[in-house]
Amino acid sequence: MRTPGGAALFALLCLLSSLPASAAELLMFRQAACPWCAAWDRAIGPIYAKTAIGKRAPIRELDIGDQARSGTTLASRIIYTPTFVLAEGGREIGRIEGYPGEDFFWGRLDALTRRLP
């Protein structure tokens, strides 16, 4: 005997089992009046979410003072801004300290995302 909604429940369970166990995210630690953060905002900010990396690891911006509330186990304390931390499942995979330009950022981020499962 079938119960009402059984097919929908089965479809939902199939969908959930196909999703990754934990999602990757890119944490951007910043502070007010950071000129390198502003440079990143102008060059990368408008396009990041549209890229393949941006879709795989959406960005979440945090103040440098919010490290303890980030929900991520950091490998060490964040000292410089911007610092970008690639995290998955609440733990740091790697980081990029500073922002000296687009080529540096994309190259380093590409290398970090290769560490993701």
Side-chain angles (χ1 to χ4, degrees), residues 86-115:
L86 182 62
E88 184 170 40
R91 73 182 232 307
E92 179 176 336
I93 302 296
R95 67 176 64 183
I96 302 167
E97 293 179 323
Y99 175 74
E102 291 181 59
D103 292 337
F104 172 85
F105 176 79
W106 291 119
R108 291 289 313 277
L109 186 58
D110 182 56
L112 285 179
T113 57
R114 291 173 197 223
R115 295 183 192 173

Side-chain angles (χ1 to χ4, degrees), residues 27-31 60-66 69-70:
L27 306 175
M28 178 185 184
F29 290 92
R30 58 186 309 143
Q31 61 186 334
R60 182 164 52 108
E61 297 182 21
L62 300 156
D63 186 83
I64 192 169
D66 290 338
R69 293 186 294 269
S70 70

Side-chain angles (χ1 to χ4, degrees), residues 20-107:
S22 58
E25 68 178 339
L26 184 67
L27 306 175
M28 178 185 184
F29 290 92
R30 58 186 309 143
Q31 61 186 334
C34 166
W36 300 110
C37 299
W40 186 93
D41 289 343
R42 285 189 303 275
I44 308 292
I47 62 170
Y48 180 79
K50 299 173 186 176
T51 67
I53 291 174
K55 290 176 181 155
R56 184 167 185 202
I59 195 159
R60 182 164 52 108
E61 297 182 21
L62 300 156
D63 186 83
I64 192 169
D66 290 338
Q67 294 175 52
R69 293 186 294 269
S70 70
T72 299
T73 302
L74 299 170
S76 61
R77 191 169 144 267
I78 306 292
I79 298 171
Y80 308 103
T81 59
T83 293
F84 302 89
V85 175
L86 182 62
E88 184 170 40
R91 73 182 232 307
E92 179 176 336
I93 302 296
R95 67 176 64 183
I96 302 167
E97 293 179 323
Y99 175 74
E102 291 181 59
D103 292 337
F104 172 85
F105 176 79
W106 291 119

